[in-house]
């Protein structure tokens, strides 16, 4: 299909606010996959990309649905506006205590980090008690989690954060620059990347995969998570899951037996850390 037609479709797909900060290449990849699976639709679109045609609308609808599923919509309210506002405040604020308050507000723009806020200090203490103080962290599908860095109480550290969301990566990049200005012992890289396609991860002490396995596995067993864990060049991986149902009630069986069986099968050790609304498996490879 002509580049011009693809661009038109990408712009249409992106015009929903919750998808507007998604990386363009990522949308293109999913659109191309859809067109490959649907050659009849692709053929019609090659001749006609009229925005009102049924085929055009169906394509936009299907690719959006897929992106929502893959990408996970875990954000509260209008992310862009809130992020922009707090981010501007953070850049001009010099007082450390006030900066912490702003970071808290930034973390509140994301469900996962908001829920974790009261437990962050204890969570990292418990994780690092098992893994030892890490020298290199990989945060895969990081969202805003790297903004919790101050709770980790680490100094000498390289932190690699990967996500598909342009705006969040921009914020994390700026935050890392601030941390680097404060201490030359902090090294941070925030990268727009589909980590499922990455072949050259840096060697790391620990990888965080917080609330990522459902997104990775897409309801098709757990092979993709298992393969990723095996190929990650890390000593430890920490994976987490929500323990509340969508309606906010505690789950009957919050533990994920498949993780425990998988670890036994591939010979990894694991420790479970349970918090009010999230369960963590610290896996030693
Ligand atoms: C449920 S959120 C979790 C965020 C973070 N790990 C946390 O728990 O605070 C899922 C995040 O994964 C990112 N994501 C989804 N698929 C990805 C992929 N293939 N590569 C990189 N990031 C991805 C999304 O952009 C989103 O920020």
């Amino acid at each position: 299909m002509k580049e011009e037609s693809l661009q038109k479709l990408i712009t249409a797909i992106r015009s929903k606010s919750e998808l507007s900060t998604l990386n363009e290449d990522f949308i293109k990849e999913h659109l191309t996959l859809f067109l490959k699976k649907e050659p009849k639709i692709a053929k019609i679109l090659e001749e006609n990309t009229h925005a009102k045609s049924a085929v055009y609308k169906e394509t936009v609808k299907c690719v959006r649905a897929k992106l929502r599923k893959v990408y996970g919509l875990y954000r509260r309210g209008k992310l862009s506006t809130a992020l922009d506002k707090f981010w501007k405040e953070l850049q001009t604020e010099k007082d450390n205590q006030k900066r912490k308050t702003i970071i808290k507000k930034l973390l509140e723009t994301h469900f996962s980090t908001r829920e974790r806020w009261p437990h962050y200090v204890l969570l990292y203490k418990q994780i690092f008690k098992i893994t030892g103080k890490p020298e290199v962290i990989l945060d895969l599908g990081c969202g805003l989690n790297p903004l919790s860095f101050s709770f980790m109480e680490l100094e000498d550290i390289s932190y690699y954060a990967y996500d598909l969301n342009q705006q969040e990566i921009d914020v994390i990049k700026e935050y890392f620059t601030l941390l680097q200005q404060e201490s030359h012992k902090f090294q941070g890289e925030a990268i727009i990347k589909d980590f499922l396609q990455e072949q050259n991860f840096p060697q790391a002490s620990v990888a965080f995969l917080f609330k990522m396995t459902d997104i990775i596995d897409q309801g098709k067993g757990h092979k993709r998570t298992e393969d990723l864990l095996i190929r990650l060049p890390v000593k430890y991986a920490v994976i987490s899951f929500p323990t509340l149902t969508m309606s906010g009630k505690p789950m009957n069986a919050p533990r994920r037996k498949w993780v425990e069986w998988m670890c036994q099968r591939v010979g990894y050790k694991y420790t479970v850390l349970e918090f009010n609304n999230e369960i963590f498996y610290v896996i030693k490879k």
Side-chain angles (χ1 to χ4, degrees):
M1 184 183 289
K2 275 190 248 148
E3 186 58 31
E4 201 183 308
S5 310
L6 280 177
Q7 281 306 326
K8 186 175 170 185
L9 279 158
I10 292 170
T11 308
I13 292 162
R14 236 185 173 185
S15 67
K16 285 275 174 203
S17 67
E18 75 275 19
L19 300 175
S20 62
T21 56
L22 253 190
N23 178 253
E24 191 174 311
D25 292 341
F26 185 66
I27 300 179
K28 193 171 183 178
E29 195 183 306
H30 281 276
L31 173 59
T32 315
L33 268 179
F34 173 81
L35 295 172
K36 259 196 195 141
K37 268 196 208 151
E38 302 286 351
K40 280 189 195 151
I41 291 186
K43 196 158 189 316
I44 298 173
L45 285 172
E46 251 167 42
E47 279 147 32
N48 171 19
T49 46
H50 199 288
K52 291 217 160 97
S53 76
V55 168
Y56 182 94
K57 282 186 187 161
E58 182 63 14
T59 305
V60 171
K61 195 174 120 196
C62 289
V63 178
R64 273 185 187 153
K66 180 71 185 168
L67 288 172
R68 287 192 179 101
K69 214 170 148 205
V70 176
Y71 172 62
L73 294 174
Y74 294 89
R75 294 178 172 78
R76 307 175 63 222
K78 287 215 164 182
L79 175 76
S80 343
T81 328
L83 266 186
D84 261 9
K85 178 174 172 291
F86 298 132
W87 180 239
K88 278 183 190 133
E89 283 179 26
L90 188 65
Q91 278 174 316
T92 49
E93 185 55 68
K94 296 280 173 263
D95 181 272
N96 265 350
Q97 209 46 45
K98 288 187 183 150
R99 279 176 56 168
K100 275 197 172 165
T101 313
I102 300 168
I103 289 172
K104 179 169 187 271
K105 288 183 194 159
L106 271 164
L107 287 169
E108 277 179 346
T109 61
H110 204 295
F111 264 128
S112 313
T113 43
R114 181 174 60 118
E115 278 186 351
R116 228 172 270 141
W117 170 262
H119 319 295
Y120 262 128
V121 173
L122 188 60
L123 168 67
Y124 288 132
K125 267 212 171 81
Q126 293 195 357
I127 292 178
F128 299 151
K129 203 170 157 197
I130 299 166
T131 64
K133 281 206 170 195
E135 287 166 8
V136 182
I137 292 178
L138 282 184
D139 197 337
L140 304 180
C142 62
L144 292 176
N145 191 59
L147 295 181
S148 67
F149 177 73
S150 64
F151 298 112
M152 297 182 199
E153 294 176 1
L154 298 172
E155 263 188 33
D156 230 329
I157 182 84
S158 298
Y159 197 128
Y160 295 89
Y162 295 67
D163 204 287
L164 291 170
N165 185 298
Q166 186 79 54
Q167 197 183 22
E168 288 177 1
I169 286 294
D170 286 348
V171 168
I172 309 280
K173 260 190 192 151
E174 290 291 333
Y175 180 59
F176 282 175
T177 308
L178 286 183
L179 291 175
Q180 263 154 223
Q181 281 162 359
E182 279 169 6
S183 163
H184 67 277
K185 290 183 177 171
F186 179 89
Q187 198 63 40
E189 269 190 50
I191 309 159
I192 276 279
K193 187 158 275 186
D194 178 350
F195 66 78
L196 292 174
Q197 306 300 326
E198 177 65 356
Q199 300 302 326
N200 290 310
F201 289 108
Q203 293 271 345
S205 329
V206 58
F208 295 155
L209 281 153
F210 294 169
K211 294 196 178 167
M212 288 310 295
T213 64
D214 288 348
I215 298 175
I216 296 170
D217 289 328
Q218 296 281 303
K220 293 177 190 147
H222 302 292
K223 185 86 179 79
R224 287 169 64 152
T225 296
E226 183 174 321
D227 288 348
L228 178 68
L229 286 176
I230 290 173
R231 73 183 177 89
L232 278 177
V234 298
K235 287 190 192 140
Y236 290 87
V238 186
I239 64 180
S240 82
F241 304 89
T243 56
L244 299 181
T245 62
M246 291 302 262
S247 59
K249 292 194 184 118
M251 285 178 187
N252 291 332
R255 284 174 85 130
R256 303 305 199 269
K257 285 288 171 202
W258 69 265
V259 177
E260 307 181 10
W261 293 329
M262 176 194 70
C263 287
Q264 273 163 17
R265 199 175 54 250
V266 295
Y268 296 163
K269 291 205 169 80
Y270 65 87
T271 310
V272 181
L273 304 175
E274 286 188 64
F275 290 83
N276 276 357
N277 31 32
E278 196 167 0
I279 186 167
F280 295 81
Y281 283 85
V282 184
I283 299 173
K284 181 169 187 314
K285 291 186 54 173

